Amino acid sequence: MAGLQAATVSNQKVPRKRKRKLASPARDEPQVENVDNGPATTTSIPTKSQDGGKKPRRTKATTNKPPMLRHNSSTKLVETTIPWPEHFKQLSQLHRALNLVYTFCSTRKHFATTFENIKSAVEAHIKRPLLIEDVAQVKAIVPKAINFAYVNEDMLQVTIMGEEDGVRGGRAEHFRSLAEDESGPKEKDKGEIKELLLFEFIDGDLKRQVADPKTGQPVNAFQHLRREDLKLPVYSQKQMLKLIEKRNTKFTSAINAFLNSSAAAAIDPVINLQTEAGNYIPIPTQRRSNTPGPNRHGNPPKKIPTERKSIPEIVKEITEMEWYTHQIVPDGHRVFDPQPPIYAELNFALSQNLVNALYNTRNITQLYSHQAEAINNLHEGHNVIVSTSTSSGKSLIYQIPMLHELEKDPESRGMYIFPTKALAQDQRRSMKEMLSFIPGFEQVLVETFDGDTPMPARHEIRENARIIFTNPDMLHITILPQENNWRTFLKNLKFVVVDELHVYNGLFGAHVAFIMRRLRRICAAVGNRRVKFISCSATVANPEEHMKTIFGVDKVRLTDFDGSPSGRKEFICWNTPYKDPNDPSSGRGDTFAETARLFCQLILRGVRTICFVRIRKQAEVLLGAVKAEFNALERSECTALVMGYRGGYSAQDRRRIESEMFGGKLMGIIATTALELGVDIGSLDAVITMGFPYTIANLRQQSGRAGRRNKDSLSVLVGDCFATDQYYMQNPDEIFTKPNCELQVDLTNELVLEGHVQCAAYEMPIRAAEDAKYFGKLLPEVAETRLLHDPSIDDFYHCHERFRPLPSKHVSIRDTEDGHFAVVDITHGRNVVLEEVEPSRAFFTIYEGGIFLHQGRTYLVKEFSPDSRIAKVTLVKVDWTTQQRDYTDIDPIETEAIRRVSKGSMSRAYFGRIKVHAVVFGFFKLDQKRRILDAVAVDNPPIDIFSKGMWLDIPRSALEILKSRRLNLAAGIHAAEHAILSLMPQFVISMPGDVRTECKNAIKEFAKKETQRKRPARLTFYDAKGGAGGSGIAAKAFEFIDLLLVRAVERVGACHCLQGCVECVCDERCREANRVMSKAGAEVILKTLLEMEVDVDALPWGPDDEDVPAGIETIVEAVEVTGRNGRKLAEQEFDEVGRVKKEKSDDECIIIKDEPGD
C-alpha cells in the first residue's frame, strides 16, 4: 500500500501547539516533508484485498516545524520587471470599477448584476464606454474568478414575496408556470426566449452580517441562519473594502504573471490578450449552435457513445479538461486489479429443464465456487450464510435450491425477505423470468407481498403463491398475527431467505431476530421443523456468528471465498476545489455543482453512473444541479436520462423508476441509501458518493455497486467542506485499510424482548419453559410479570390487555411513523399526489410560501393544512430555494434513576424522560449562492418529541478549570459527548444514530453578543428510536457509564491528534459538522466526572492555543432534574465489585470485542 503523501489537502503540514509537552523521543522519527501540489499518484493493489490490515498510526508532531500558513491570506503576489503597457493599466482600472460596482450591488436585494444594469455605473468610474470585448479581456486575465455569460431572463426573476403583505401572509402569487408540465395546457407561444448578459465574481462572497441592535452597525452574525430574527443581512464597509482589495491584488498578480509568460514566449502581450479574450466573449444561445467557440466545460462527445472508452481513458480526458485543478488528492487514486472467475461443481444433479433455464436467462453454464459451495451445504441440510462482495451472483444461491425443491414437490413454499421493496421487486422479476423457461412452471404464482399489495390480491397470494417476496415489516404486522390463515403456506415452507443480512444490525437487528424466532416457533407448532435458512451479506467481520444470532440456529455453514470475476476498478478521492483554486481563503466551492459537473461528464462519455447522497433534500438539489449543468453544456436532451430515487416517492413512481433503470433507459441515477443495497438496476459503470456517507461500511457498499457486469468501473468519493470529509481527503489510506466492522445484536434489550413476547403470546399462548429456547433465559420473568397467566392451564400465558387488539401495531421495528402528509400537485388542476412525507419531516420541509423539491423540479407550497395532513403545491420556475428557520432544545424533564458514575466518584448519572422541542418559525429565500433574498414568517405549531435518555451534570470544578484557561465550555461539552457516543457500541449493542446528543452550533457558540438561550452544563444522550418509551439503548448505556467514561478518557488521551479528530472527539454524523470542538476541554470534563487528577498547567490557553474562537459564554451551571412531582430519588447501590448491575452473560448476547488497535 502506498504511503500517505500529504498531511493536508494543500500538501503542507500546519503545526499547532500541543496541549502538553512531548516526552523526549526514544528514537528519531522521520520528518514529514512538504509535497508540491502536483498530479496525484495512482496506486495499484490486488482486487479484494483492500479490506483489513493494520491501521496506520499517525506520527506525532515533530519539533522541526514548517512555517505556519496564514489561512486568511490571498495568493502570493506575482511580481514583474516588465513595465505595464497602457492597455493593461486601462484594464486594471476597468477591473477596479467592475469590482467596486459588483460588490456594492451584491448587497442589494433582488438586484441582478446584468451588463446593462451595471454599465452606467462602471462607465462613470472609467470615463469611457464599457464594451463587452473589454470585459472579456478582464475575464481572460482571471478566468476562474468571473462569470460572464448569457442566461435566461426567467432564471433571474424573483417574486415580490416577503414584502408588505407577503411577509405576514407568507404567500406569493407572482410566479411563472413551467411549460413542460405534460398533463396541463401548453403555454402560448411567447416568441424568442429573452436572454440577459450576466456579470458576477465567483471567487468569494461577502460574509453574512446583521445590524447591532444598539449601535445599528453591521456585526458578525451570532446565530445560525435558520434561528435568526426575521431580518435581512447587512454588510459592513470594512468587509466590502477588504474583499474589493483582495480581488484587486489578485488581478494585479494575474497581469504580472500574464506579462511574464508573454515575454517568455516572445509574444506581444496586448495582441496575446486580445486573441485570448476572443474565447471569452459571451454568445447568446440562439446564435451558439453554429458557432464553434471554446467551451469552458471542455469538449465532451457530441453524442453519447453506445460503446464507451475504458475508464483510464475517460479519467485521463476529464483530468485534462480546463476546469480540472488537481481535485484528485495525493494518494487518492487507487486501482484494483481484475480477478478471473473460479468455478466449482455441485454434488448433485440439476434437472435438464433447470439447466436450460439458467442458460436461457443468464447464459450460465458453470457456477462460481462460492455458489456451488453454498448450494452443496444447503443440499446437505445446513443453514447457509454467504458473505462475498457486492455483485458476486449471490441471488442464484437461493434461487436454484427453491426451483429444485419445486420440481420435487410442487406444494413447496418459499419466503424471500428483503429489507426494501425495491429489492423484493427486483428478485420477483428475476424469479419469474427463470420460471418462464421451465416447462410446466410458467403459471406458478410468485408475487410480492408488501404494503403496496392491493387487499383483493392478498388472499390469492396467501393461498396459491409458491414463493412470496416480502419484508420483515409484513411478516411482523400481517403474516405472523394471522398465522391461522397462513398455515398451509407455513406447513409447506421449505426455505426462508433473508438477503442483505448486514442490514439487520443494532436495534433493527434485535427486532428482526425476535421476528425470526416467532416464525420458527409457529412453523414448529404446525409441524414444520424442516425449514432451512439462507442468508446473504456484504463482507463483514462476523457473518456466521451474526446469522446464528438472528435466526437462533446452530447448524450454519459459512461461505466467504468469492469465486466471481471482477473487472479492473479505479477508486478516486475527489476533493471539491477552492472557489479560487490558488487561494485557500476563498473557501471550498459548491459541492453540488462540482458533483454535477463530474456526473454529467461521465454520462456524456457513455458511463452509466449512480450518485449516492446522504439525505433526501440533497438528492433533489443535486438533480436540479445536474439539469442546470446539462443546460449549460447545451445538452438539455440528456436531462431525461437522469432521475432521482429516494424514500417518499409514491409506489407508482418507484415502480416506474425501477423499470426504467433496469431497462437501461436511464444513464444516471441520483439516490439515497434506498439503492445502496443489491438491487439489479442493470450495468453500472461508475459510482459517485457525494460527501462521506457516515461510515466506511456504507462507502464500501456503495462503491461495490459499480462493475456488476465484469467490466472496468470507477468509484469516486467527492469530498465536501465538512471536517469528516476533509479528514478522509487528507488520509485516503484509511478508506482502504480500516477493517470491516462487526455486526452486533442485543437480545437482552428488555423493551424489544417484551414487545415481541407480547406478539408471540397473541399468536399462540406462551409456555415459559418450552419457549425459552426461542426467547432466552429472561422469558420466565417476563411472562410472570408482563403477561396474563391462564389459570386453567398451567404455564400458559396470554398477551396483556394493554397491547391488544393487535400487539404488532404497538411494536415498531423501524420506528416508522403513521399519518403521513400528502403533497398534492395542483398545477393546472392536476390534483396528483407527488409523495408522502413523514410527520417528523413535514414541518421542516413543508410551509406555505416555501419551495418543495421533487425530481429536481421546484414546487411552491400554496396551502398547508396540518389538520387534514395535505400540502398543495404548484410547479414554478424559480432560481431560488428556501431554508427553514428553527431551533431545537433537548432537555431532561423527569428523573427515573440516579447512580454515581463510579464507586470512587461523587458525580452522578441520571436516567429518565427527555423532551425534544423543535419550532419552525420562518424561512429564508436563498439564491443559488445561498444569499438571502427575503425573510418570511410562518406560524407552524411546535414539534414536541418525548423519549428516554441519560445525562450527566458537569461538576462546578470542571467549569472553573475551563474558565481559568479560557477554554470554550460548549466546545468541551460537545467534544465530550461525541467521545462517549462513539464508544457506546463497545458496551451497548447499537448502531450510529440509535442514540443522539445535542450538537453545538458554531455561529451561536462563537458569537460576540450575549444570547438569551443559555444551555445547561450537561452531557445529554437520548434514544432516537422507540417513541416515548425509548429503545432501551440509553438505559443500557446508563448501566455502563463508569466503563464508558474510563474508556473515553483513555481514548482521548491516547489519540495523537492536536485539536480532535474522528478517532477521538469528532463524530461523522454530527449535524453541525464538528465545528465546535475542544479536545482539551473534553478531557477536563471526563476526568473531573471520574474525579481524576487534571494537570491544569499542561492545558492550552483558550483561543491562543486552540482553533476554537472566543465568544460570549452560552453555558450555565446545570440544575438537577427531579423525579415525578418533584420527588427526590435514591441512588442505586453498588455491589461488592463496584458495579450497579451485573453485566450480560455470554449466553444472552454476542460477545462484544474491543476495537482493533492502532
Side-chain angles (χ1 to χ4, degrees):
M1 192 70 70
L4 203 60
Q5 291 191 4
T8 67
V9 176
S10 62
N11 294 321
Q12 175 122 12
K13 189 174 178 66
V14 182
R16 299 189 181 97
K17 296 180 182 178
R18 292 184 62 87
K19 65 182 180 181
R20 59 177 66 87
K21 294 181 180 179
L22 290 172
S24 300
R27 62 180 185 276
D28 294 336
E29 296 185 359
Q31 187 168 334
V32 179
E33 296 183 4
N34 297 340
V35 183
D36 293 335
N37 192 10
T41 57
T42 303
T43 306
S44 294
I45 55 181
T47 305
K48 299 181 183 177
S49 65
Q50 69 271 29
D51 297 335
K54 284 192 174 182
K55 181 175 161 187
R57 181 184 293 274
R58 284 189 297 277
T59 58
K60 295 182 179 180
T62 57
T63 53
N64 298 325
K65 300 179 180 180
M68 178 75 80
L69 284 179
R70 287 182 56 200
H71 291 284
N72 60 347
S73 64
S74 297
T75 309
K76 183 180 179 181
L77 181 65
V78 177
E79 297 181 351
T80 184
T81 58
I82 302 169
W84 279 27
E86 185 64 29
H87 185 75
F88 283 86
K89 293 178 181 179
Q90 292 181 358
L91 282 183
S92 179
Q93 180 193 26
L94 173 58
H95 175 271
R96 288 175 178 273
L98 288 168
N99 187 9
L100 179 66
V101 172
Y102 174 81
T103 305
F104 175 78
C105 291
S106 63
T107 66
R108 314 267 49 93
K109 183 179 69 170
H110 295 176
F111 186 87
T113 53
T114 63
F115 184 77
E116 292 300 325
N117 283 347
I118 66 173
K119 183 177 180 180
S120 59
V122 174
E123 289 177 341
H125 282 82
I126 63 176
K127 309 298 183 186
R128 63 180 185 275
L130 177 64
L131 303 177
I132 291 177
E133 292 77 7
D134 291 343
V135 180
Q137 291 184 49
V138 172
K139 178 172 172 60
I141 295 290
V142 282
K144 295 183 183 299
I146 292 173
N147 178 35
F148 189 45
Y150 282 95
V151 297
N152 191 324
E153 182 185 25
D154 290 341
M155 301 305 289
L156 293 178
Q157 289 186 354
V158 294
T159 70
I160 62 170
M161 182 181 62
E163 301 180 15
E164 301 174 357
D165 294 338
V167 174
R168 295 189 294 272
R171 299 192 181 189
E173 301 296 335
H174 304 275
F175 288 92
R176 301 173 59 87
S177 295
L178 276 177
E180 61 197 57
D181 181 26
E182 303 91 350
S183 60
K186 303 298 181 184
E187 292 185 4
K188 295 181 180 179
D189 183 22
K190 299 184 182 67
E192 289 189 357
I193 298 174
K194 185 176 181 181
E195 291 189 322
L196 300 175
L197 183 54
L198 181 68
F199 174 89
E200 56 183 350
F201 282 94
I202 55 174
D203 59 344
D205 297 309
L206 292 167
K207 299 294 187 294
R208 183 171 54 92
Q209 294 182 305
V210 296
D212 187 287
K214 295 181 180 178
T215 66
Q217 296 299 314
V219 294
N220 289 336
F222 49 85
Q223 294 188 39
H224 197 277
L225 177 63
R226 63 177 183 265
R227 300 190 183 108
E228 279 190 357
D229 294 334
L230 291 172
K231 296 177 182 176
L232 292 174
V234 294
Y235 305 96
S236 66
Q237 183 181 16
K238 178 181 178 182
Q239 185 190 177
M240 288 192 288
L241 290 175
K242 185 176 179 181
L243 181 59
I244 290 169
E245 185 56 36
K246 179 179 176 181
R247 287 182 179 141
N248 289 339
T249 302
K250 287 183 183 179
F251 192 76
T252 299
S253 179
I255 287 182
N256 289 341
F258 189 87
L259 292 174
N260 290 340
S261 62
S262 297
I267 302 173
D268 181 87
V270 176
I271 297 175
N272 187 19
L273 178 60
Q274 290 173 342
T275 303
E276 188 84 11
N279 296 331
Y280 296 99
I281 295 176
I283 302 171
T285 303
Q286 292 88 340
R287 292 159 41 198
R288 227 175 266 178
S289 56
N290 297 320
T291 306
N295 191 336
R296 68 181 179 85
H297 298 272
N299 294 299
K302 297 298 182 185
K303 184 179 179 181
I304 296 178
T306 53
E307 287 294 328
R308 65 169 174 83
K309 297 179 181 179
S310 68
I311 291 298
E313 290 177 290
I314 291 172
V315 171
K316 185 173 184 293
E317 285 182 7
I318 293 176
T319 56
E320 290 174 349
M321 297 181 74
E322 178 265 338
W323 52 267
Y324 178 76
T325 54
H326 300 296
Q327 282 94 325
I328 300 177
V329 303
D331 204 27
H333 189 175
R334 306 294 175 96
V335 175
F336 299 92
D337 296 327
Q339 175 175 298
I342 301 173
Y343 298 105
E345 299 292 333
L346 294 178
N347 296 336
F348 61 98
L350 298 179
S351 71
Q352 189 60 47
N353 286 337
L354 184 50
V355 171
N356 293 343
L358 289 170
Y359 179 77
N360 290 327
T361 57
R362 307 189 189 182
N363 200 29
I364 292 174
T365 58
Q366 291 177 285
L367 294 177
Y368 300 134
S369 59
H370 65 281
Q371 295 171 333
E373 178 187 342
I375 294 172
N376 286 332
N377 288 334
L378 199 63
H379 187 70
E380 293 168 4
H382 300 281
N383 301 297
V384 169
I385 172 69
V386 182
S387 179
T388 54
S389 63
T390 308
S391 72
S392 58
K394 293 191 285 286
S395 59
L396 275 182
I397 293 169
Y398 49 75
Q399 289 176 342
I400 291 176
M402 187 67 230
L403 294 172
H404 183 67
E405 196 67 31
L406 274 173
E407 289 180 320
K408 293 194 299 182
D409 179 10
E411 292 298 315
S412 297
R413 303 293 202 273
M415 182 184 293
Y416 288 21
I417 299 171
F418 300 94
T420 66
K421 296 175 182 177
L423 267 172
Q425 288 287 342
D426 176 45
Q427 290 299 325
R428 168 188 169 274
R429 181 174 53 242
S430 176
M431 181 61 82
K432 284 180 76 72
E433 185 183 17
M434 291 268 286
L435 288 168
S436 68
F437 283 89
I438 300 178
F441 280 13
E442 297 90 346
Q443 303 303 317
V444 169
L445 183 60
V446 296
E447 197 53 79
T448 55
F449 189 82
D450 58 29
D452 296 336
T453 305
M455 295 303 290
R458 296 191 179 193
H459 176 76
E460 173 71 11
I461 294 171
R462 185 174 62 234
E463 295 299 323
N464 297 317
R466 293 303 182 261
I467 304 172
I468 64 168
F469 300 88
T470 187
N471 50 55
D473 312 77
M474 290 299 288
L475 187 59
H476 167 62
I477 294 173
T478 302
I479 297 175
L480 294 179
Q482 300 174 15
E483 54 85 22
N484 56 319
N485 296 328
W486 287 83
R487 285 185 181 175
T488 301
F489 189 95
L490 295 176
K491 280 181 182 179
N492 294 286
L493 184 61
K494 299 295 178 62
F495 296 108
V496 174
V497 175
V498 178
D499 199 6
E500 307 289 349
L501 192 69
H502 56 277
V503 172
Y504 306 110
N505 191 18
L507 187 65
F508 184 39
H511 282 293
V512 173
F514 284 118
I515 291 171
M516 291 297 112
R517 283 157 171 74
R518 287 161 53 196
L519 173 63
R520 288 178 51 226
R521 177 173 175 261
I522 291 177
C523 287
V526 298
N528 182 2
R529 299 178 183 272
R530 305 176 308 279
V531 182
K532 290 292 176 286
F533 296 93
I534 310 170
S535 276
C536 299
S537 170
T539 308
V540 295
N542 60 334
E544 185 176 3
E545 181 183 24
H546 188 58
M547 183 177 181
K548 290 179 180 179
T549 305
I550 291 292
F551 295 102
V553 295
D554 292 325
K555 206 173 180 181
V556 173
R557 287 284 180 89
L558 168 66
T559 297
D560 58 359
F561 178 81
D562 192 345
S564 65
S566 61
R568 182 181 186 276
K569 183 162 190 172
E570 298 195 22
F571 190 101
I572 292 175
C573 292
W574 183 285
N575 207 4
T576 302
Y578 296 111
K579 293 174 184 175
D580 181 347
N582 298 315
D583 182 11
S585 68
S586 63
R588 295 276 168 201
D590 184 353
T591 305
F592 289 97
E594 184 70 15
T595 305
R597 184 158 52 181
L598 181 60
F599 186 84
C600 292
Q601 291 297 331
L602 289 172
I603 288 176
L604 291 174
R605 287 168 170 77
V607 181
R608 291 196 76 225
T609 307
I610 184 171
C611 182
F612 286 105
V613 296
R614 285 176 284 205
I615 59 175
R616 296 180 184 182
K617 186 172 183 179
Q618 287 182 340
E620 298 295 346
V621 173
L622 181 58
L623 190 56
V626 166
K627 292 181 177 181
E629 179 71 9
F630 276 132
N631 289 331
L633 291 167
E634 300 176 31
R635 301 293 295 273
S636 57
E637 74 280 2
C638 297
T639 59
L641 301 177
V642 179
M643 293 190 76
Y645 189 96
R646 60 172 176 80
Y649 289 164
S650 66
Q652 295 87 344
D653 281 350
R654 285 200 304 270
R655 301 293 175 265
R656 179 172 60 88
I657 297 168
E658 289 162 11
S659 174
E660 293 192 7
M661 286 189 294
F662 184 77
K665 297 178 182 178
L666 300 179
M667 285 295 297
I669 305 154
I670 297 172
T672 56
T673 53
L675 278 180
E676 183 179 300
L677 304 176
V679 184
D680 189 351
I681 52 177
S683 176
L684 287 173
D685 300 313
V687 171
I688 298 175
T689 301
M690 191 187 80
F692 186 76
Y694 301 126
T695 67
I696 293 288
N698 290 136
L699 180 61
R700 289 173 181 163
Q701 182 75 6
Q702 292 174 6
S703 175
R705 295 309 314 273
R708 295 177 68 86
R709 294 293 184 271
N710 196 20
K711 295 173 64 177
D712 63 341
S713 60
L714 173 68
S715 182
V716 182
L717 171 63
V718 179
D720 211 330
C721 62
F722 303 125
T724 303
D725 293 63
Q726 291 307 308
Y727 174 82
Y728 286 107
M729 289 295 111
Q730 296 165 18
N731 302 280
D733 201 52
E734 295 201 15
I735 293 174
F736 310 100
T737 58
K738 274 193 174 181
N740 287 311
C741 62
E742 288 195 350
L743 303 180
Q744 302 174 344
V745 174
D746 184 6
L747 300 181
T748 64
N749 187 313
E750 294 182 11
L751 285 174
V752 177
L753 173 61
E754 183 196 352
H756 287 282
V757 168
Q758 297 283 1
C759 293
Y762 174 83
E763 295 153 6
M764 199 168 59
I766 287 286
R767 301 185 67 175
E770 183 178 325
D771 291 333
K773 61 186 176 185
Y774 299 111
F775 301 107
K777 296 179 180 180
L778 295 176
L779 180 62
E781 180 185 348
V782 172
E784 190 67 36
T785 58
R786 308 291 175 87
L787 301 178
L788 295 178
H789 182 254
D790 189 338
S792 61
I793 306 177
D794 188 32
D795 201 31
F796 260 46
Y797 295 88
H798 300 281
C799 175
H800 197 278
E801 290 296 330
R802 64 190 174 93
F803 280 84
R804 290 182 180 272
L806 195 59
S808 59
K809 294 287 187 182
H810 294 268
V811 181
S812 176
I813 68 173
R814 298 196 206 226
D815 204 38
T816 53
E817 303 176 56
D818 296 324
H820 286 50
F821 287 72
V823 180
V824 182
D825 179 12
I826 61 171
T827 309
H828 304 312
R830 292 186 66 196
N831 289 321
V832 174
V833 176
L834 289 178
E835 60 182 271
E836 295 182 341
V837 182
E838 300 92 328
S840 62
R841 295 176 183 264
F843 292 100
F844 293 94
T845 57
I846 306 172
Y847 32 82
E848 289 187 358
I851 292 295
F852 184 81
L853 299 174
H854 178 82
Q855 280 297 341
R857 292 181 173 182
T858 51
Y859 292 82
L860 172 69
V861 181
K862 302 286 287 186
E863 183 181 332
F864 177 47
S865 175
D867 295 332
S868 59
R869 294 180 179 268
I870 291 177
K872 296 180 180 180
V873 301
T874 183
L875 195 62
V876 295
K877 189 172 184 178
V878 292
D879 200 25
W880 49 268
T881 185
T882 52
Q883 177 177 314
Q884 85 278 2
R885 324 259 315 294
D886 66 87
Y887 64 85
T888 302
D889 289 333
I890 302 169
D891 291 299
I893 56 174
E894 181 184 312
T895 300
E896 297 177 357
I898 303 176
R899 57 160 293 181
R900 280 185 287 151
V901 297
S902 68
K903 199 169 184 179
S905 173
M906 297 304 294
S907 299
R908 293 173 164 184
Y910 303 84
F911 176 82
R913 295 181 65 211
I914 298 285
K915 179 181 179 181
V916 181
H917 179 75
V919 177
V920 178
F921 59 87
F923 65 88
F924 279 127
K925 286 172 52 185
L926 306 173
D927 66 8
Q928 286 187 327
K929 293 187 176 182
R930 300 196 64 76
R931 293 176 300 198
I932 297 173
L933 302 176
D934 267 319
V936 183
V938 297
D939 187 21
N940 280 353
I943 306 163
D944 288 330
I945 300 171
F946 295 91
S947 184
K948 293 292 181 73
M950 73 160 183
W951 61 94
L952 301 97
D953 291 344
I954 298 172
R956 183 180 301 171
S957 58
L959 302 180
E960 292 172 349
I961 292 173
L962 294 174
K963 289 178 181 178
S964 70
R965 304 296 288 192
R966 294 188 291 119
L967 294 171
N968 189 289
L969 270 60
I973 292 171
H974 194 191
E977 287 174 328
H978 279 183
I980 295 172
L981 202 61
S982 65
L983 288 167
M984 278 191 188
Q986 292 191 28
F987 299 91
V988 183
I989 297 176
S990 59
M991 291 178 64
D994 284 347
V995 178
R996 294 178 184 169
T997 188
E998 182 179 303
C999 291
K1000 306 298 184 183
N1001 174 263
I1003 295 178
K1004 173 179 179 290
E1005 304 303 339
F1006 301 150
K1008 302 296 183 182
K1009 179 192 171 185
E1010 195 70 40
T1011 177
Q1012 299 291 325
R1013 189 167 163 263
K1014 300 287 188 179
R1015 302 298 296 147
R1018 177 179 289 141
L1019 310 181
T1020 309
F1021 310 91
Y1022 70 97
D1023 290 326
K1025 302 174 183 177
S1031 62
I1033 296 175
K1036 288 279 186 181
F1038 178 71
E1039 295 177 21
F1040 292 99
I1041 189 59
D1042 51 343
L1043 298 179
L1044 269 170
L1045 288 172
V1046 170
R1047 184 68 66 87
V1049 169
E1050 293 172 353
R1051 186 173 187 176
V1052 172
C1055 187
H1056 298 304
C1057 73
L1058 304 178
Q1059 305 293 339
C1061 67
V1062 292
E1063 297 297 315
C1064 55
V1065 299
C1066 291
D1067 189 342
E1068 294 158 339
R1069 303 177 72 93
C1070 179
R1071 286 184 59 190
E1072 303 295 345
N1074 300 293
R1075 296 187 187 95
V1076 185
M1077 285 288 148
S1078 172
K1079 181 180 178 181
E1083 198 164 3
V1084 170
I1085 291 171
L1086 295 170
K1087 284 185 173 181
T1088 309
L1089 284 167
L1090 291 169
E1091 295 193 3
M1092 298 171 65
E1093 183 180 355
V1094 177
D1095 186 355
V1096 179
D1097 294 334
L1099 294 174
W1101 277 100
D1104 297 335
D1105 293 343
E1106 286 197 317
D1107 277 354
V1108 183
I1112 299 297
E1113 194 54 68
T1114 62
I1115 302 297
V1116 296
E1117 190 171 346
V1119 177
E1120 183 176 354
V1121 178
T1122 60
R1124 182 172 298 179
N1125 299 324
R1127 65 187 179 90
K1128 292 276 189 179
L1129 276 73
E1131 290 182 6
Q1132 296 179 357
E1133 296 293 329
F1134 284 86
D1135 58 22
E1136 61 277 2
V1137 295
R1139 298 289 300 150
V1140 170
K1141 190 175 183 179
K1142 80 176 184 69
E1143 300 181 46
K1144 296 171 282 190
S1145 69
D1146 294 349
D1147 297 334
E1148 294 170 337
C1149 69
I1150 296 174
I1151 303 298
I1152 306 171
K1153 301 178 176 61
D1154 289 340
E1155 289 188 329
D1158 287 342

